């Protein structure tokens, strides 16, 4: 059953013979009919929709791919690395640097290109299997599973469209996204399956969400790992925001907020439950979860989300180590973005002040780090590992403490890394509502924005963050919305989507930058490497599928931008 659930559909079934390392296609060991007749089979397939989201290997091999092969949160980091708000340090030890450096291995013949394609279409195959088992008109006992399958499939295709289409929906709704593999598609159909236009993809996604509502309208979910009607409405809000259908974006963002409340500043910066427990506040709509028996956790959790995003654990070799604290491969907030956050904004406390790097003794650094962590000596060790690995180019300044170990655990990586990772929060819906309202009536949108902003900064003054970077693609109001989204959702996987949706450039080269030398690039529009390539196996076996150009990294640093 596990084998069947991880197979992709149609042409995507085949795995790429890479020049890095070859992988044999997984073999179907039972038929779908045989699997569905097993006791409790349908429930198991439905449960897999959530259990396979995070913590499982895409490539079930020895250690080769494991450091950045841990499910959906891997995709979050891959996307975050493509912009300017997250800085990837650690050189060859940072397994996500490929997306930060626009490395040649993003080309269609490499595993780095294969990973997103294989992950998403494997998950879509899981959804299609559940839908085939449930039937077009599912019985009462099958409705919830079918509804969740429709919601998950819509979620995955919405990601894929934005990752693989070279332009935004608003720029060209006829532009190609990815092939749609539905639950009723044959193998022969998949082998001649062109990339859907943005317009057709959005229609397919909205139809999935309509079906999700049909089957989930009365469903009370078992945990926030499962989608329910609030998530369905949240996905609709995302779709309509992308389509610039402001009336519906506002409508569904408001619907999705019902029953939820914005996190308080204390909750946002909680040293015990900081962004690790979906039930510690009433703001999270949806999450994925790492569990102790997940494939990536049974080896100590060193190859998991926490290894890259949590730096409050020791590197003693007994409880694990984490790439951050052991190898000095860390992810930092952009210096300029940090500097634009007022001291009165509660979110600034999530990142270590860059002034700490000016201190000259370990004692003074640890004392200063105590303002951010209950175990400042562990944070010191993590920063010190980075400093050693980067010849002093980076240390503690800009180090994130947004994501904490589970239940404040500072002693055991395997337990501490069993965290919830947010997929959707009510704050996103609040900001979608504000943007959509403001696109119709700027004063109304501005009022909604100010109400939210003051939950983070009681001294908030509208207009201080109107930094349009180096193009004028959006109004001062939208720039202010964008700034709030960048700060609020740092590390949560939305940054790349916003850059492409708003047609923004990136800026890494400027006076005082903390971006890695050689990769300090500035662009006037979304960079080429933000459009992912389709794995070569798909285009080899799907005659109708075109591809995107292989990204070419700029040569050398860009001239410094003057803010």
């Amino acid at each position: 059953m596990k084998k069947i659930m991880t197979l992709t559909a149609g042409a995507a079934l085949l795995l790429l013979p890479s020049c890095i390392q070859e992988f044999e296609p997984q073999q179907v060991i039972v038929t779908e009919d045989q699997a569905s007749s097993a006791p409790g089979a349908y429930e198991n397939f439905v449960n897999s929709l959530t259990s396979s989201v995070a913590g499982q290997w895409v490539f079930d091999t020895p250690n080769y791919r494991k450091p950045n092969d841990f499910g959906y949160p891997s995709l979050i980091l891959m996307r975050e690395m493509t912009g300017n708000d997250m800085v990837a340090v650690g050189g060859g030890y940072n397994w996500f640097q490929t997306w930060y450096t626009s490395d040649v291995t993003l080309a269609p013949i490499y595993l780095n290109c294969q990973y997103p394609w294989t992950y998403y279409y494997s998950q879509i195959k899981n959804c299609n299997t559940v839908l085939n088992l449930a039937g077009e008109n599912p019985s009462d006992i099958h409705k919830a599973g079918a509804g969740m399958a429709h919601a998950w499939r819509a979620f995955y295709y919405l990601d894929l469209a934005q990752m693989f289409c070279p332009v935004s929906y608003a720029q060209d709704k006829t532009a190609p996204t990815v092939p749609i593999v539905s639950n009723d598609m044959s193998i022969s159909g998949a082998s001649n399956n062109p990339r859907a236009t943005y317009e057709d993809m959005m229609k397919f996604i909205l139809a999935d969400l309509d079906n999700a509502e049909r089957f989930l309208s009365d469903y009370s979910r078992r945990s926030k790992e499962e989608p329910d009607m609030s998530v369905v409405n949240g996905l609709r809000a995302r779709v309509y925001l992308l389509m610039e259908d402001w009336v519906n974006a506002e409508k569904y963002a408001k619907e999705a907020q019902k029953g939820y409340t914005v996190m308080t500043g204390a909750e946002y910066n909680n040293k015990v439950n900081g962004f690790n427990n979906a039930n510690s506040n009433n703001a999270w709509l949806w999450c994925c979860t790492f569990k102790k028996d997940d494939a990536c956790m049974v080896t100590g959790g060193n190859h998991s989300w926490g290894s890259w995003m949590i730096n409050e654990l020791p590197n003693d070799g007994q409880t694990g180590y984490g790439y951050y604290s052991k190898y000095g491969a860390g992810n930092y907030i952009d210096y300029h973005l940090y500097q634009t956050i007022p001291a009165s904004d509660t979110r600034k406390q999530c990142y270590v002040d860059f002034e700490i790097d000016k201190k000259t003794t370990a004692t003074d650094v640890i004392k200063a780090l105590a303002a951010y962590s209950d175990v400042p000596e562990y944070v010191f060790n993590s920063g010190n590992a980075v400093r050693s690995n980067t010849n002093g180019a980076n240390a503690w300044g800009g180090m994130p403490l947004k994501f904490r170990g589970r239940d404040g655990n500072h002693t055991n990586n395997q337990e501490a890394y069993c965290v919830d990772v947010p997929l959707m929060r009510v704050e996103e819906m609040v900001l979608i509502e504000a943007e959509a309202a403001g696109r119709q009536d700027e004063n109304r949108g501005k009022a909604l924005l100010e109400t939210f902003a003051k939950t983070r900064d009681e001294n908030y003054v509208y207009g201080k963050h109107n930094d349009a970077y180096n193009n004028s693609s959006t109004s001062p109001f939208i720039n202010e919305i964008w700034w709030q989204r960048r700060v609020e959702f740092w590390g949560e996987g939305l940054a790349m989507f916003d850059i492409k949706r708003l047609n923004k450039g990136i800026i890494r080269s400027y006076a005082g930058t903390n971006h890695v030398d050689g990769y300090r690039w500035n662009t006037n529009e979304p960079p080429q490497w933000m459009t992912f390539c389709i794995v070569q196996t798909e285009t080899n076996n799907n005659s109708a599928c075109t591809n995107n150009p292989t990204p070419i990294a700029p040569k050398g640093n860009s001239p410094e931008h003057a803010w």
Side-chain angles (χ1 to χ4, degrees), residues 487-507:
V487 175
E488 181 71 21
F489 306 117
W490 186 93
E492 297 182 46
L494 299 179
M496 188 185 90
F497 295 156
D498 280 343
I499 289 171
K500 295 182 76 171
R501 177 175 68 88
L502 299 173
N503 194 34
K504 294 292 186 179
I506 68 167
I507 294 182

Side-chain angles (χ1 to χ4, degrees), residues 325 328 332 378-390 394-396 399:
S325 58
Y332 287 66
Y378 293 164
V379 180
F380 173 84
N381 289 339
S382 294
N384 203 39
V386 172
R387 184 175 64 171
S388 299
N389 191 21
T390 59
N394 302 85
W396 302 277
M399 180 180 288

Side-chain angles (χ1 to χ4, degrees), residues 88-104:
V89 303
Y93 285 113
N94 194 320
W95 281 70
F96 293 94
Q97 71 163 345
T98 296
W99 292 268
Y100 180 77
T101 64
S102 185
D103 187 78
V104 67

Side-chain angles (χ1 to χ4, degrees), residues 253 257 262 426-435 448 452:
Q257 293 173 50
V262 169
V426 73
E427 290 84 357
E428 181 189 357
M429 298 300 114
V430 171
L431 287 171
I432 289 177
E433 180 191 1
E435 178 175 347
L448 290 168
F452 167 76

